[in-house]
Amino acid sequence: MIQSAKRNSLSIFLILCSITMVFGEKNESRLWYDKPAQVWTEALPLGNGRLGAMVYGNPGTEQIQLNEATIWAGKPNNNANPDALQNIPKVRELVFASKYLEAQTLATEKVMSKTNSGMPYQPFGDLRISFPGHTRYTDYSRELSLDSARAIVKYMNDGVAYKREIITSFTDQVVIVQLTASKKNKITFNAFLTSPHQDVMIGCDGQTVTLDGVTSTHEGLKGKVQFQGRLAVKTQGGRISCKDGVLAVEDANEATLYVSIATNFNNYLNIDGNAAERAKNYMDKALLHSYPEIKKAHTEFFKKYMDRVTLYLGDNHSTETTDKRIENYSRSHDDNLVATYFQFGRYLLICSSQPGGQPANLQGIWNDKLFPSWDSKYTTNINLEMNYWPAEVTHLGELYEPMLQLTREVSVSGRETAKVMYGADGWVLHHNTDIWRITGAVDKAPSGMWLGGGAWLCRHLWEHYLYSGDTAFLKSVYPMMKESALFYDQVMVKEPVHNWLVVCPSNSPENTHAGSKGEATTAGGVTMDNELIFDLWTSVITGSKILHTDKEFANRLQNRLKEMAPYQIGHWGQLQEWMFDWDNPDDTHRHASHLYGLFPSNQISPFRTPQLMDAARTSLIHRGDPSTGWSMAWKVCFWARLLDGDHAYKLITDQLSIVRNEKKQGGTYPNLFDAHPPFQIDGNFGCTAGIVEMLMQSYDGFIYLLPALPTRWNQGEVKGIMARGGFEMDIKWNMGKVMKVIINSHNGGNCRLRSLTQLKGKGLTIAKGENTNPLYEVPTISKPLINEKAVMNPVTLKRTYLYDLKTEAGKEYEVTGTL
Ligand code: FUC
């Protein structure tokens, strides 16, 4: 009787605590749940760029699914098909003869890689911890703190309050599980490592569990990545034993589990490392540190990135769990959830892309399947690039480094492929790559016959320069840009109808066209290729001027640009996706590649090219809203660039619809992961970038404040986002109008502001002439060709004001809005 009364009062106390937690810390950034995860897309992701962990939080049988970023099937290889050299001209002839399906079939047979289509990213396995008797638990909570990169699980069992804290330490390079209880001697468990890989070896090395394995053989390529995981424990009190691969702890007061994982991977060409030695080394070093020390260093490291940006769109008025908040979003319009989703995108990038490591792949760093969808590799016709859209704008520019390294590597492997497949100089990347940096064309021609990957990766090199203003960086990457430009210069040909310079064969990513009655994607001169090459060549031309080099080559490219196909507006007022007016107004294909010029590029601008903006808008209206996760994220960015905040907001609403099973369209899983479906991380990243585009855009020679603010976000504040030119911006607004802007100029130079309302501030003058800041490019595209029958969808631009502010590097400036 007394005992149960005590238990009741304790329960009431805990409930009160959790209520104050919800209300008291209402703007704390976290995901929380009142149940353990049943499936992987409910588990909570942790990561340090190299190690990934998915926490289920089950009291009786904890499962923490583990990844290490270099565990991939296969071994060093490249996969160019030498038959391509003779057959690409034949495929091209067929395209020019309008025999698109024949062209595509030939490309599938003779151009796509004969060896392999890339290797899958694979999991390590799981840490499992069984706690005997923890089945009658109450007062359960499970959370992911986006403020400190920790997962925390709490519950009561038999009158004892238990707590688990899990981190993937950035600084100690191990996964840590810290177990505490409100009473002494109450921590008893068995912990062990499991793996879905075949033939793993599990054992004990003293009081450490070890698991050794090797990655899978795939498409005839033997898996050669060896990995080892180690599991050790430190306790206060109690007894520890290790037998048959099981680490047992009895009656401890507190326990800290350490997991280290390492592989033999050195780089994409070399796997001669010693996995066991490395795993032991990580473990030995980490064991020297206590949990409080590890946690402190980890949190400080994480906060250095995370705290640079804050977004306030409203308080959290909800006491619901995160999955319920997603479920209710279309009715509740829970603005605070959007801010959480935004910070979660930044969190995911910090956790899956750290300098010196691998770039975020299709699933970031989190994957529990031996053979995941699309091998969880790097698809370059949208997905890899989208992963890095938030890097610069959300002030995480350093985290672009792994993608930069990938670019360096494919620019080497791609040189071989350019020679073998095209007989060309420079380098090529088709629509996919993996950890081995394959650059051949893969899968079948409908997706694989596309060679824009190199140009798109080069765009990121250039963008990194525009945000950082770092000329030394530009100098170091310029040769890659030049070599890519050279490749296209050599492989492009004149097409027979208009005599335009085009890439052929190619495709407008994965979309079939009416020229083939919808049977084929293979084509020539597709709009996206023209846009990508325009960006690449103009950045090489500008880069050559900045670096005082390659004048002749730059002049050549300048002339070649004039020979390329212009933008065309087709018969229903749409921006043409292809060289011919083939677009189907009922086409709702997930890719909208021809709108690359609108976003991420800046070729299409409401101020400079209003007709193209109308055409892009018409295309987008017909494309529709609901789609796969990444497609909706891209549409958030498109609508932001079209200055339609309410439509961008509508896409966020579509994106924040709950996905509890794979049959549904794209949306969001309970753990806030983006659902293609299946899980693909690009949608998280794309939408995060899109939210910035709604609040601030920097292109076309200015920084536009609140360009696409939805009606709902009447009031708010964003701090620390980055604009091209190296301007760190804090923007506060009220009643939809700019109240206060703080500009931290990293590089100095002219800061040109565009605003819907008038501004005032010391040194602010009305803008005159071109923006003199060299970090702003204003593309000079050729005039579009417009079909006379085109029906326009005109957009009325609101009046804006333009100001100049001369800034000095390292100084801060304040500007206020006038109502
Ligand atoms: C592209 C897209 C698919 C998917 C895949 C990984 O091929 O068309 O939707 O996202 O990449």
Side-chain angles (χ1 to χ4, degrees):
M1 216 21 217
I2 295 174
Q3 233 185 9
S4 79
K6 253 193 191 165
R7 195 176 295 164
N8 281 345
S9 59
L10 189 64
S11 302
I12 291 166
F13 171 72
L14 281 169
I15 289 165
L16 285 175
C17 284
S18 63
I19 289 174
T20 30
M21 207 166 80
V22 170
F23 288 110
E25 301 168 25
K26 59 186 172 184
N27 294 321
E28 188 192 25
S29 196
R30 66 179 192 135
L31 280 56
W32 89 276
Y33 305 84
D34 57 8
K35 289 182 197 65
Q38 301 292 320
V39 291
W40 192 81
T41 44
E42 289 173 1
L44 297 174
L46 297 170
N48 68 3
R50 192 178 69 83
L51 300 171
M54 294 289 286
V55 180
Y56 283 68
N58 198 320
T61 52
E62 178 60 280
Q63 179 181 2
I64 300 176
Q65 188 266 314
L66 299 166
N67 286 102
E68 202 276 355
T70 62
I71 300 182
W72 288 67
K75 60 180 181 185
N77 79 97
N78 198 359
N79 63 350
N81 181 350
D83 293 347
L85 189 60
Q86 275 168 15
N87 284 283
I88 283 176
K90 294 182 191 159
V91 176
R92 185 177 294 142
E93 296 275 288
L94 288 168
V95 170
F96 288 158
S98 308
K99 295 180 177 164
Y100 301 104
L101 192 58
E102 283 104 311
Q104 181 167 288
T105 308
L106 185 63
T108 295
E109 283 166 8
K110 300 287 185 194
V111 178
M112 298 302 109
S113 174
K114 283 193 289 196
T115 52
N116 71 77
S117 58
M119 293 295 123
Y121 173 54
Q122 300 197 302
F124 164 80
D126 298 81
L127 165 64
R128 294 174 193 263
I129 320 169
S130 64
F131 297 88
H134 288 216
T135 45
R136 295 176 297 271
Y137 61 89
T138 57
D139 307 294
Y140 180 89
S141 79
R142 176 171 65 103
E143 75 166 76
L144 175 65
S145 160
L146 302 181
D147 296 327
S148 59
R150 285 177 304 147
I152 300 155
V153 180
K154 289 181 193 160
Y155 56 91
M156 293 287 302
N157 199 64
D158 282 344
V160 181
Y162 289 95
K163 184 176 171 196
R164 290 175 202 166
E165 234 177 82
I166 304 105
I167 61 172
T168 44
S169 164
F170 287 100
T171 35
D172 282 83
Q173 289 294 319
V174 285
V175 181
I176 301 271
V177 183
Q178 166 76 353
L179 301 166
T180 49
S182 61
K183 291 188 184 158
K184 291 208 155 181
N185 310 328
K186 285 292 175 192
I187 296 187
T188 294
F189 62 85
N190 286 337
F192 49 101
L193 297 171
T194 58
S195 177
H197 287 273
Q198 277 183 347
D199 304 326
V200 290
M201 278 176 24
I202 297 175
C204 285
D205 173 6
Q207 290 206 329
T208 300
V209 174
T210 58
L211 185 149
D212 288 272
V214 62
T215 56
S216 307
T217 295
H218 183 62
E219 295 183 356
L221 206 62
K222 205 163 166 40
K224 289 280 186 189
V225 175
Q226 295 161 0
F227 54 86
Q228 184 181 80
R230 298 176 80 84
L231 167 66
V233 71
K234 285 210 285 199
T235 60
Q236 275 182 27
R239 295 171 299 283
I240 307 173
S241 63
C242 189
K243 200 175 167 219
D244 300 334
V246 178
L247 190 62
V249 167
E250 284 171 281
D251 304 333
N253 301 331
E254 199 178 311
T256 311
L257 283 158
Y258 293 66
V259 180
S260 73
I261 309 172
T263 73
N264 60 346
F265 180 91
N266 288 331
N267 59 54
Y268 75 107
L269 297 170
N270 181 305
I271 49 171
D272 289 344
N274 186 325
E277 215 171 77
R278 282 179 182 164
K280 184 164 185 323
N281 205 13
Y282 282 129
M283 180 62 90
D284 290 348
K285 282 193 181 151
L287 283 170
L288 298 175
H289 299 140
S290 67
Y291 180 62
E293 286 165 350
I294 293 177
K295 175 174 160 177
K296 185 166 181 282
H298 165 78
T299 315
E300 277 170 14
F301 181 99
F302 170 74
K303 286 175 94 58
K304 193 179 75 190
Y305 291 108
M306 195 68 191
D307 291 355
R308 288 177 190 169
V309 172
T310 57
L311 173 63
Y312 176 80
L313 295 175
D315 287 341
N316 179 15
H317 300 292
S318 171
T319 52
E320 302 271 27
T321 55
T322 302
D323 53 334
K324 285 272 159 39
R325 286 177 73 185
I326 307 168
E327 205 163 291
N328 297 338
Y329 182 76
S330 63
R331 293 181 302 278
S332 67
H333 297 284
D334 177 350
D335 298 322
N336 184 274
L337 181 67
V338 178
T340 305
Y341 187 85
F342 169 82
Q343 288 296 28
F344 184 64
R346 298 186 63 245
Y347 167 85
L348 292 176
L349 195 65
I350 299 168
C351 296
S352 64
S353 182
Q354 282 290 324
Q358 295 299 317
N361 62 46
L362 282 177
Q363 298 190 182
I365 196 174
W366 299 278
N367 164 39
D368 66 335
K369 297 196 170 61
L370 279 182
F371 299 100
S373 301
W374 295 287
D375 301 328
S376 193
K377 46 186 195 279
Y378 301 101
T379 312
T380 58
N381 64 13
I382 175 67
N383 319 86
L384 171 61
E385 292 86 353
M386 187 179 278
N387 283 1
Y388 284 86
W389 288 353
E392 307 291 349
V393 283
T394 77
H395 210 155
L396 299 171
E398 304 98 310
L399 304 188
Y400 163 62
E401 196 279 342
M403 186 177 171
L404 166 63
Q405 184 58 21
L406 177 144
T407 308
R408 286 194 191 109
E409 292 169 354
V410 291
S411 78
V412 176
S413 60
R415 199 173 297 151
E416 178 199 349
T417 304
K419 266 271 155 347
V420 172
M421 290 179 65
Y422 298 88
D425 297 320
W427 61 278
V428 63
L429 169 65
H430 294 86
H431 96 301
N432 252 286
T433 190
D434 61 8
I435 200 168
W436 314 115
R437 309 307 186 227
I438 53 145
T439 41
V442 302
D443 301 339
K444 292 185 178 159
S447 52
M449 190 63 263
W450 184 79
L451 37 154
W456 205 341
L457 293 195
C458 285
R459 181 68 196 169
H460 284 251
L461 301 173
W462 182 242
E463 291 279 353
H464 189 67
Y465 165 70
L466 296 181
Y467 279 93
S468 65
D470 183 346
T471 321
F473 168 79
L474 179 63
K475 196 166 176 202
S476 72
V477 299
Y478 172 82
M480 277 188 273
M481 292 163 56
K482 181 186 164 190
E483 293 268 299
S484 176
L486 183 67
F487 169 76
Y488 292 108
D489 184 31
Q490 291 191 4
V491 301
M492 286 172 82
V493 292
K494 291 287 182 79
E495 49 79 31
V497 178
H498 320 78
N499 202 32
W500 287 329
L501 187 63
V502 297
V503 177
C504 181
S506 183
N507 67 60
S508 182
E510 310 191 24
N511 201 4
T512 53
H513 56 74
S516 68
K517 299 199 178 63
E519 289 180 320
T521 70
T522 307
V526 308
T527 302
M528 183 192 228
D529 283 346
N530 303 334
E531 294 171 311
L532 284 168
I533 292 162
F534 176 90
D535 272 356
L536 173 64
W537 284 0
T538 51
S539 64
V540 169
I541 293 166
T542 318
S544 80
K545 278 191 201 127
I546 297 167
L547 301 170
H548 307 291
T549 183
D550 292 328
K551 208 167 168 196
E552 231 172 85
F553 183 57
N555 283 341
R556 175 180 165 79
L557 294 183
Q558 194 72 59
N559 289 327
R560 295 281 272 174
L561 275 172
K562 292 184 201 132
E563 298 172 25
M564 283 176 58
Y567 275 113
Q568 299 182 76
I569 299 178
H571 68 285
W572 46 278
Q574 89 284 11
L575 187 76
Q576 268 181 222
E577 181 163 356
W578 294 275
M579 188 170 66
F580 299 109
D581 196 351
W582 287 335
D583 305 54
N584 173 359
D586 298 326
D587 179 5
T588 55
H589 197 268
R590 60 194 179 284
H591 288 264
S593 307
H594 49 315
L595 304 187
Y596 162 91
L598 179 67
F599 188 92
S601 182
N602 57 359
Q603 294 168 36
I604 300 174
S605 136
F607 302 99
R608 196 171 22 80
T609 65
Q611 285 171 326
L612 285 179
M613 160 149 161
D614 293 349
R617 189 166 178 268
T618 301
S619 292
L620 201 55
I621 291 169
H622 285 256
R623 224 40 163 216
D625 293 344
S627 192
T628 58
W630 64 257
S631 176
M632 294 192 289
W634 201 353
K635 288 170 188 167
V636 174
C637 302
F638 287 145
W639 283 110
R641 280 288 172 93
L642 291 169
L643 309 179
D644 189 337
D646 285 336
H647 207 136
Y649 179 83
K650 154 77 170 55
L651 262 306
I652 293 179
T653 312
D654 291 334
Q655 188 125 28
L656 279 175
S657 66
I658 194 90
V659 174
R660 292 199 190 267
N661 70 62
E662 310 280 304
K663 286 193 195 89
K664 200 192 158 285
Q665 284 245 38
T668 299
Y669 289 111
N671 64 358
L672 272 195
F673 267 170
D674 167 68
H676 179 289
F679 164 50
Q680 236 178 252
I681 206 160
D682 39 20
N684 287 104
F685 291 139
C687 189
T688 297
I691 291 167
V692 177
E693 289 299 310
M694 292 163 78
L695 303 176
M696 182 197 73
Q697 295 173 15
S698 65
Y699 65 104
D700 228 9
F702 52 78
I703 300 169
Y704 196 165
L705 306 171
L706 307 179
L709 194 68
T711 320
R712 267 206 68 84
W713 298 352
N714 196 28
Q715 193 187 351
E717 184 167 23
V718 65
K719 283 186 176 175
I721 51 176
M722 291 299 298
R724 288 178 185 79
F727 299 106
E728 184 180 334
M729 310 285 294
D730 299 352
I731 309 169
K732 190 172 182 171
W733 67 95
N734 198 358
M735 296 196 300
K737 294 192 170 117
V738 175
M739 297 284 293
K740 189 162 112 182
V741 185
I742 308 265
I743 300 152
N744 202 318
S745 175
H746 290 193
N747 292 312
N750 189 40
C751 177
R752 177 164 289 183
L753 298 172
R754 187 179 278 278
S755 166
L756 287 155
T757 45
Q758 284 180 284
L759 304 174
K760 61 180 183 198
K762 209 168 151 222
L764 202 67
T765 58
I766 301 289
K768 280 201 196 80
E770 289 278 292
N771 186 355
T772 52
N773 191 323
L775 296 173
Y776 283 87
E777 50 173 6
V778 181
T780 47
I781 57 166
S782 59
K783 251 182 108 191
L785 291 182
I786 301 175
N787 188 309
E788 279 166 17
K789 279 182 268 165
V791 188
M792 295 294 178
N793 241 318
V795 180
T796 320
L797 290 184
K798 291 186 192 141
R799 175 171 181 194
T800 55
Y801 301 89
L802 261 189
Y803 301 93
D804 278 339
L805 181 69
K806 303 270 173 283
T807 70
E808 279 177 45
K811 291 218 166 138
E812 205 172 86
Y813 300 84
E814 187 177 317
V815 168
T816 51
T818 59
L819 291 183

